[in-house]
Amino acid sequence: MTKTEEFEELRPLLFSIAYRILGSVSEAEDAVQETWLRYRTTSARPGSAKAFLSTVVTRIAIDVLRSARVRREEYAGPWLPEPLLTDPYEDPARSAELVDSLSTAALLLLERLTPLERAVFVLRDVFAFGFPEIASAVGRSEAACHQLAVRARRHMDAGRPRFEAGRKERDRLAERFFDAFREGNVDGLAELLAADIHMVGDSGGKAPNVQPVVLGAENVARVLAVFAPLVARGGGVMEPVQVNGRPGAVFRDRDGRVLSTWALDVADGRVRTIHTVNNPDKLGHLGPVADAWTVLREAQRAPRD
């Protein structure tokens, strides 16, 4: 097998590792490309291409994350990971771990970890790498990696909801939610929302955002009921999809350009969080991006039914 063939076979895994460490599609793709450049120019053939490439992409991602964290501290409004609709890496033996680690909530919990803790957690708990491989990847001893894994797991377990819905329950509730949204049904929406629901919007200061954070079922239901007719009057389309492994939607303008993504977290039979990504810089990998300000102005001027 040639180097190119080896790399292409492992590309999905490398991207999935980098995305979970970085929370950014574009940065993960750049990390994978840099990994290929280093592999291509390496004269010696490593004994294990998987071990070598995983080490390289992990080290690149850690370095990128360290600089990205400084930028995120200065970010305008709440920072959310770039939405991912499809994870290119599949492993039936670890499908639950892969899906759970992809959720917006899990990626935000990972943001609380140090870069090394984050990398060790991703390699160990998500992809089941052995500690010798992890130690080589992060440049620490196996004992140190054990300690990093324990600390990371403790932080992640403390932040997770105690009771999270299964896939079928999430999908059923999401279908009811989006039906009520299309109808602008305030009462129907309110009964599906947790009393302490958070609606968090990431616009990066570059797109319309009702409020960075809206709290409480009554307030969120009102915001949704106001937003739904604007989407309809502007000729927008809501496309239900899985966003980061959870029920969600992509909003597009009348020409099919991307406006926003939504992802729902469901627990205890209610929608507990709605994460919306409106920042156009985070949507380009999904297709052509609309000018949300123009779309909003046109929708506001459009005649009401």
Side-chain angles (χ1 to χ4, degrees):
M1 186 179 290
T2 67
K3 274 190 171 182
T4 301
E5 290 170 336
E6 286 177 334
F7 180 81
E8 289 303 324
E9 184 176 279
L10 291 165
R11 181 190 288 272
L13 171 64
L14 302 177
F15 172 85
S16 294
I17 290 171
Y19 176 76
R20 285 164 174 81
I21 293 174
L22 294 167
S24 166
V25 172
S26 55
E27 290 174 344
E29 289 174 342
D30 288 346
V32 172
Q33 183 61 24
E34 177 63 23
T35 299
W36 161 243
L37 293 176
R38 295 188 189 183
Y39 188 46
R40 188 183 65 181
T41 55
T42 300
S43 56
R45 292 292 290 269
S48 168
K50 178 183 176 182
F52 177 85
L53 292 169
S54 298
T55 293
V56 173
V57 80
T58 297
R59 291 183 177 180
I60 291 171
I62 289 171
D63 289 341
V64 173
L65 181 60
R66 283 173 173 148
S67 61
R69 288 167 80 92
V70 175
R71 296 195 303 274
R72 290 171 192 178
E73 289 174 359
E74 301 171 351
Y75 193 79
W79 179 93
L80 296 176
E82 290 183 13
L84 186 66
L85 305 190
T86 304
D87 186 359
Y89 178 73
E90 296 181 359
D91 180 355
R94 301 196 62 77
S95 58
E97 291 86 351
L98 290 169
V99 172
D100 287 346
S101 67
L102 197 63
S103 73
T104 301
L107 292 171
L108 289 174
L109 284 176
L110 283 170
E111 281 290 302
R112 303 179 186 179
L113 307 182
T114 68
L116 282 178
E117 287 172 344
R118 185 165 182 162
V120 169
F121 181 86
V122 167
L123 292 175
R124 180 63 182 172
D125 284 55
V126 180
F127 294 99
F129 277 63
F131 279 107
E133 297 170 291
I134 296 171
S136 174
V138 303
R140 295 292 189 275
S141 68
E142 288 186 45
C145 289
H146 275 280
Q147 293 177 340
L148 288 165
V150 169
R151 288 204 302 268
R153 198 173 297 124
R154 187 185 305 126
H155 286 304
M156 294 296 289
D157 289 344
R160 286 194 179 102
R162 289 183 61 194
F163 304 104
E164 193 172 15
R167 172 71 181 268
K168 289 183 179 179
E169 182 184 350
R170 290 198 302 260
D171 290 346
R172 283 196 299 267
L173 189 64
E175 183 177 1
R176 292 172 59 198
F177 171 87
F178 286 120
D179 285 344
F181 174 79
R182 287 189 190 94
E183 298 164 2
N185 181 351
V186 178
D187 292 336
L189 286 166
E191 72 177 18
L192 299 174
L193 306 178
D196 59 349
I197 184 173
H198 287 51
M199 184 174 182
V200 183
D202 176 347
S203 70
K206 299 182 179 183
N209 211 11
V210 179
Q211 286 179 233
V213 181
V214 183
L215 304 176
E218 186 175 342
N219 293 328
V220 171
R222 285 187 183 135
V223 167
L224 296 174
V226 169
F227 183 64
L230 282 175
V231 173
R233 290 204 303 272
V237 175
M238 182 184 68
E239 174 190 349
V241 293
Q242 293 287 306
V243 178
N244 288 85
R246 295 294 185 265
V250 175
F251 288 83
R252 302 180 186 273
D253 71 0
R254 64 175 75 250
D255 297 315
R257 293 171 298 194
V258 180
L259 284 163
S260 177
T261 64
W262 290 17
L264 311 182
D265 286 329
V266 175
D268 300 324
R270 294 286 186 273
V271 178
R272 302 196 64 84
T273 313
I274 304 172
H275 291 110
T276 74
V277 177
N278 313 312
N279 185 343
D281 294 345
K282 295 186 174 185
L283 301 173
H285 61 285
L286 302 178
V289 179
D291 182 343
W293 292 107
T294 299
V295 172
L296 177 61
R297 286 193 295 269
E298 290 176 352
Q300 290 171 332
R301 290 197 298 262
R304 299 172 182 269
D305 294 335

